[in-house]
Amino acid sequence: MTKLILWDWNGTLLNDVSASLAAVNDMMERRGRRDITLGEYRRAIGVPIRKFYEYHFDLEREDYPQILTEYARGYEKYLPECALAKGARELLARLQKDGVKQVVLSSGEQKRVENALRVYGVAEYFDTVLGASDFFAGSKLERARDFLNAQKISPCEILMTGDLVHDWETARELGTRCVLVNWGHQGSEQFAGLNAAVISALVELEI
């Protein structure tokens, strides 16, 4: 029986890959370069996020923190066009009613994630938010490990959901179950060979 779910936010519960892609392509346009496709985006994205920018931008000539700030402005511009994944609100409410503890484990900066949860009207469903302390989108592993060490819950009673290979890697290190979604910042192509459970809709999620 699952007692705790570690939910990824961006790309899993929030269907925001379109905002990220649009923001990146605005950056490409300002540099006189062609747009990248969703497939190209998914093949390059990952954790740490710096690898993505090293692939698509010249970090020897551009300041990395400034690039992150530029992206963040573009992302916020397109964010209002994004919606929760289909069935997310209903599922979160049902799990809360069933007594399942729910936690957001995100690579996003803590305050931004907390604000997004309020904006989308789902903050009430989560016991806590484990966001990052900065905008560099580093590993989730240590935050998750520190949190779980304080919980009296066996790893076999914990489910992690996410949209990145990094989520699967984190779950493997923690010894928890993992389900990946294929509508997020990575997809089935990137998950091939992981021997991971992959779903195409939240209704398929087996708790």
Side-chain angles (χ1 to χ4, degrees):
M1 177 181 176
T2 299
K3 294 183 178 180
L4 169 65
I5 298 182
L6 296 171
W7 287 105
D8 174 57
W9 174 244
N10 300 98
T12 301
L13 290 174
L14 179 62
N15 197 355
D16 68 344
V17 66
S18 61
S20 292
L21 181 59
V24 169
N25 279 333
D26 282 351
M27 295 168 70
M28 302 293 278
E29 183 177 351
R30 284 191 284 272
R31 290 161 176 78
R33 299 174 59 190
R34 69 167 181 85
D35 287 358
I36 64 172
T37 66
L38 177 58
E40 289 172 320
Y41 173 88
R42 282 176 163 166
R43 284 190 287 274
I45 204 71
V47 175
I49 193 64
R50 184 183 177 93
K51 292 182 179 180
F52 174 83
Y53 291 102
E54 287 175 341
Y55 186 85
H56 285 294
F57 298 87
D58 187 352
L59 297 190
E60 292 186 0
R61 296 186 177 184
E62 297 197 62
D63 182 71
Y64 181 50
Q66 288 184 2
I67 283 182
L68 293 180
T69 299
E70 182 182 356
Y71 165 80
R73 286 198 300 265
Y75 174 82
E76 293 295 331
K77 171 185 173 182
Y78 292 106
L79 185 58
E81 302 173 11
C82 300
L84 293 173
K86 185 177 180 181
R89 193 186 311 277
E90 295 79 7
L91 178 57
L92 293 172
R94 177 173 64 82
L95 291 171
Q96 183 186 61
K97 184 177 180 180
D98 290 344
V100 178
K101 190 170 187 176
Q102 301 184 88
V103 171
V104 171
L105 176 61
S106 175
S107 293
E109 192 272 331
Q110 179 80 20
K111 291 184 178 179
R112 285 179 178 266
V113 175
E114 291 174 343
N115 181 64
L117 295 176
R118 290 191 293 268
V119 168
Y120 283 90
V122 294
E124 65 185 284
Y125 301 121
F126 299 102
D127 294 87
T128 192
V129 176
L130 304 175
S133 60
D134 53 42
F135 297 97
F136 293 93
S139 174
K140 300 176 181 179
L141 179 58
E142 291 308 315
R143 274 176 286 131
R145 182 175 283 147
D146 289 345
F147 174 77
L148 294 180
N149 283 342
Q151 309 300 307
K152 295 181 180 180
I153 303 176
S154 169
C156 66
E157 297 173 317
I158 299 171
L159 171 65
M160 175 175 287
T161 64
D163 66 323
L164 296 177
V165 171
H166 178 64
D167 294 307
W168 178 82
E169 292 171 338
T170 299
R172 183 179 59 179
E173 290 293 324
L174 296 172
T176 70
R177 293 173 53 218
C178 181
V179 174
L180 298 174
V181 306
N182 68 4
W183 58 80
H185 292 263
Q186 290 184 328
S188 296
E189 179 183 340
Q190 288 70 49
F191 305 150
L194 294 183
N195 192 29
V198 181
I199 60 173
S200 300
L202 284 174
V203 71
E204 301 174 11
L205 186 64
E206 295 183 2
I207 307 300

